Amino acid sequence: MTAVQTSSRPPLFTNHNDAPPSISHSMWPGHMVGQREQPVRVFLVDDDSHIRRVIAQDLMGDSRTLLVGHACSLREARKSIQQHDFDVLMIDLNLGDGDGLDLLELVQGTHPHVQSIIVSSTERDEKVFKAFEKGAVGYLLKNSWFGDYAQAVLQVANGGASITPSLAKKILSLVSRSQTYVVSASNCSKEEKLSEREIEILKLIACGYSSPEISTHLKISTMTVSTHVKNMYRKLQAKTRAHAVKAASLRGLI
Amino acid sequence: MESLRDIGWRETTRFIQAITILSWCFLTRLRDQNWFFVFSILVAFSGLLISLHHIPGIYRVIKARLRSSAQPSKEVQEERKRIASDLHDTLGSQLVEALSLMNSQSSVEDSPARKVLEQSLLDLRLIVDSMDAQSDNLAMRLARLRYRLAPVLQRKGLVLHWQLTDPELEVGLHTTLPLPRDRVAHEILAVVQASLSNAIEHADATEMWLILEPYQKGDLQSFGWDWYLSIEDNGKGYDLRAVLNDPSKSGHGVINMFHRMRNIGGDLHIHPRHGGGTQVLMRWRCESSSLS
């Protein structure tokens, strides 16, 4: 495969996370989610008060996003999310009094329309991978340069998804393992099997190529790259669900 | 690869050595002959030469074993990760908040204090990155570095062109030569970080190019090296000789880059780029011969 050429002016998205560029509010297209009169509502869970302040400042500084509530612990979050209606959940997985994954599962059950973004200091954490298996679609590196938070919220609210190189490699190893050892290719339903194109995209992401570079190389739009990433998450979740069902039936639970 | 002639010579010498030793043991009459005594010394000398020929190989094996045994244990690695995570979470969030507070005051947009904070945050992120994931191969570590640097590059308006080969993922050029891991990958990544940091902070560059590729068989430019990693920028460039003679921090940084590459048996060239800017070229050989 030949090397990917960088596009200096990508068509829509600019950064590695496939996030929408910093389009000024007046230029924000009318058909996209996140309008001044109907901003994207966000609920934030993080035990670090510094980060909470920074994220809150960033979200409140953008008229397309609105922070409707925040919590500093798992306990507080469990109580508060029942009282709020929101579109996007931003969550740190390492909370002082418990595991953020439990909350993620709870929100997936009670607020199925909510898109979740993980805020974590490392993308290699096993929990991050599990969070994507449990339905998260966005990822933000903690202590990243500020200005990313509102963009990340708008990205997932508009059907986008982000992925990191480590996560891509992990999915690739899972795919090759399941095809070799765990589940034979014929046992994989079409719903959970990754396509050639999806594997190709994962490989390029694992090598550090950005969405605009991948779209240029594969001659597809950055939106299509994003759609492929979201499909991969859907299949990953389906695979996890299928394995859970299979494991439960083997144990005689169902 | 040993030639047939070398193997022939070696085996003949061994045969003569065996005959000589057996003659000393069983043919007692020959022991009194002067010519046999001189012949035996010559045979012993040839044996010594053959042993000397093997010494570099034995040295390499011992060195490799020492290196692999010097790998930190799983507990130490876990502890490193925890320290990195704590460092990042506590110090990092305070730095981000300080920058955020400064951001609300437009008068300090380009203040020196802001630049120091930004540099500290960048350095912290790179330290955490190098402490995390020691076992990943070089391509993965570069990919993660790019992911972490993406917001900084975007903020500075810098375009990073990326061209990378990873034989494990079958991306880029075809090769059976493996990419380095562990200590070798760590040292190369440290040089890459220093080069990118120089280009981002001091070179006033607008574009950078990073290429990681294997040398192809018969490539006259390879000079026996297996892989090369090139980082170029279109910045203002710098006088390497002047920097090396400068006892300040920047001089030490560049000297460290050379030390790091020498420690892994690689080499480093820093020279002006054609068309302006700087090129940093790293080259190294594989420790093991091939992937398959």
Side-chain angles (χ1 to χ4, degrees):
Chain A
M1 190 167 65
T2 52
V4 177
Q5 294 297 309
T6 311
S7 153
S8 59
R9 282 188 67 83
L12 182 59
F13 294 159
T14 51
N15 77 8
H16 194 96
N17 288 353
D18 206 16
S22 310
I23 299 171
S24 68
H25 305 188
S26 56
M27 287 168 66
W28 187 245
H31 66 276
M32 293 185 88
V33 178
Q35 298 299 323
R36 199 182 292 265
E37 57 279 8
Q38 201 176 351
V40 181
R41 295 160 303 170
V42 184
F43 192 90
L44 169 67
V45 187
D46 198 319
D47 60 351
D48 186 334
S49 60
H50 298 288
I51 286 296
R52 272 206 317 277
R53 269 200 292 274
V54 172
I55 296 178
Q57 191 182 340
D58 193 49
L59 295 180
M60 298 312 281
D62 195 316
S63 61
R64 296 165 293 180
T65 54
L66 177 70
L67 185 68
V68 292
H70 61 88
C72 63
S73 66
L74 189 64
R75 199 171 156 204
E76 192 187 332
R78 275 199 175 123
K79 269 191 212 164
S80 301
I81 55 168
Q82 308 296 341
Q83 298 154 11
H84 293 95
D85 203 10
F86 50 95
D87 309 301
V88 174
L89 171 73
M90 294 181 89
I91 182 170
D92 177 10
L93 296 175
N94 295 311
L95 295 166
D97 63 338
D99 198 337
L101 285 172
D102 297 338
L103 188 69
L104 195 65
E105 214 160 16
L106 177 76
V107 171
Q108 292 291 322
T110 56
H111 301 66
H113 67 282
V114 167
Q115 306 289 338
S116 303
I117 298 173
I118 305 304
V119 185
S120 170
S121 55
T122 168
E123 80 272 29
R124 292 189 81 258
D125 194 340
E126 191 64 29
K127 275 188 193 168
V128 176
F129 185 70
K130 281 189 181 154
F132 281 95
E133 283 184 327
K134 286 184 188 293
V137 288
Y139 171 82
L140 268 175
L141 195 62
K142 213 172 187 180
N143 302 340
S144 184
W145 228 271
F146 45 89
D148 295 335
Y149 304 106
Q151 285 179 40
V153 166
L154 290 166
Q155 177 202 2
V156 297
N158 282 285
S162 60
I163 189 165
T164 71
S166 302
L167 203 58
K169 193 149 190 183
K170 187 138 195 177
I171 297 173
L172 277 171
S173 68
L174 191 83
V175 168
S176 65
R177 217 173 36 229
S178 69
Q179 282 177 354
T180 319
Y181 304 112
V182 184
V183 188
S184 70
S186 57
N187 284 350
C188 272
S189 68
K190 199 180 173 186
E191 195 192 356
E192 57 184 85
K193 201 175 169 185
L194 294 186
S195 68
E196 293 271 325
R197 177 48 63 92
E198 284 165 350
I199 290 174
E200 199 175 4
I201 289 172
L202 277 179
K203 283 181 176 178
L204 290 171
I205 291 168
C207 277
Y209 287 101
S210 65
S211 286
E213 287 167 342
I214 294 169
S215 68
T216 309
H217 177 64
L218 300 178
K219 297 184 179 67
I220 53 178
S221 73
T222 46
M223 280 296 271
T224 312
V225 176
S226 186
T227 308
H228 277 300
V229 171
K230 201 154 189 186
N231 280 343
M232 282 185 266
Y233 285 146
R234 194 175 45 73
K235 290 177 182 181
L236 185 69
Q237 288 151 26
K239 190 185 271 286
T240 313
R241 272 198 304 274
H243 284 173
V245 171
K246 198 174 170 185
S249 73
L250 282 173
R251 285 189 216 117
L253 294 175
I254 52 174
Chain B
M1 182 87 186
E2 255 183 318
S3 69
L4 277 175
R5 199 177 64 176
D6 289 344
I7 295 169
W9 272 111
R10 198 183 61 210
E11 293 307 317
T12 309
T13 314
R14 279 184 183 163
F15 179 71
I16 294 170
Q17 283 169 351
I19 294 290
T20 310
I21 291 166
L22 287 171
S23 304
W24 272 97
C25 294
F26 301 110
L27 300 173
T28 46
R29 274 188 304 124
L30 281 177
R31 288 182 194 169
D32 302 330
Q33 302 288 328
N34 282 343
W35 66 267
F36 185 67
F37 191 73
V38 173
F39 180 75
S40 301
I41 289 172
L42 284 173
V43 169
F45 187 67
S46 67
L48 187 70
L49 284 178
I50 290 173
S51 307
L52 285 174
H53 180 72
H54 287 294
I55 281 178
I58 294 166
Y59 173 72
R60 272 199 298 272
V61 169
I62 292 170
K63 208 175 161 190
R65 288 214 175 146
L66 282 174
R67 200 180 292 159
S68 61
S69 64
Q71 288 291 324
S73 66
K74 202 180 170 190
E75 288 76 22
V76 171
Q77 285 185 5
E78 285 300 317
E79 184 64 6
R80 277 185 184 171
K81 269 188 200 173
R82 193 191 60 74
I83 294 168
S85 178
D86 285 354
L87 186 73
H88 186 261
D89 287 356
T90 51
L91 203 58
S93 67
Q94 288 173 39
L95 282 172
V96 167
E97 196 186 9
L99 274 165
S100 176
L101 289 170
M102 287 184 109
N103 197 39
S104 57
Q105 302 166 19
S106 55
S107 59
V108 291
E109 183 62 30
D110 288 317
S111 74
R114 186 191 171 83
K115 282 189 173 171
V116 170
L117 281 176
E118 285 183 354
Q119 182 64 38
S120 306
L121 193 61
L122 176 63
D123 288 345
L124 176 66
R125 203 171 305 151
L126 295 180
I127 290 167
V128 171
D129 198 52
S130 63
M131 285 172 89
D132 203 4
Q134 303 278 337
S135 59
D136 285 338
N137 77 8
L138 182 63
M140 187 70 224
R141 295 183 74 159
L142 285 170
R144 295 179 58 241
L145 176 69
R146 190 188 193 194
Y147 183 82
R148 283 186 183 257
L149 283 179
V152 184
L153 299 177
Q154 196 181 3
R155 182 180 166 83
K156 302 239 171 202
L158 257 162
V159 178
L160 174 60
H161 301 271
W162 198 252
Q163 194 171 312
L164 195 134
T165 292
D166 184 347
E168 285 173 36
L169 293 173
E170 295 168 339
V171 171
L173 298 176
H174 176 73
T175 181
T176 54
L177 298 167
L179 276 169
R181 292 176 183 276
D182 303 320
R183 184 178 146 268
V184 177
H186 177 79
E187 297 289 1
I188 295 169
L189 197 81
V191 179
V192 171
Q193 284 180 2
S195 309
L196 290 177
S197 188
N198 281 340
I200 293 168
E201 292 302 324
H202 309 297
D204 293 333
T206 55
E207 283 185 85
M208 293 189 292
W209 292 261
L210 186 146
I211 302 171
L212 168 67
E213 278 179 354
Y215 282 111
Q216 298 297 296
K217 266 185 187 168
D219 188 339
L220 294 173
Q221 290 186 323
S222 73
F223 298 111
W225 301 106
D226 291 328
W227 284 86
Y228 76 93
L229 199 160
S230 160
I231 296 169
E232 296 180 31
D233 69 69
N234 66 347
K236 58 189 178 191
Y238 63 96
D239 182 358
L240 180 64
R241 195 160 298 198
V243 170
L244 288 175
N245 290 331
D246 179 8
S248 72
K249 196 185 164 192
S250 59
H252 282 304
V254 176
I255 291 167
N256 276 344
M257 288 163 70
F258 280 98
H259 278 314
R260 283 180 187 278
M261 287 309 289
R262 202 177 306 141
N263 285 345
I264 57 164
D267 83 343
L268 175 70
H269 292 272
I270 301 176
H271 45 74
R273 174 180 165 266
H274 184 69
T278 307
Q279 187 197 20
V280 178
L281 179 69
M282 289 155 252
R283 298 183 295 185
W284 64 92
R285 292 183 188 89
C286 296
E287 281 185 324
S288 51
S289 55
S290 72
L291 274 176
S292 50

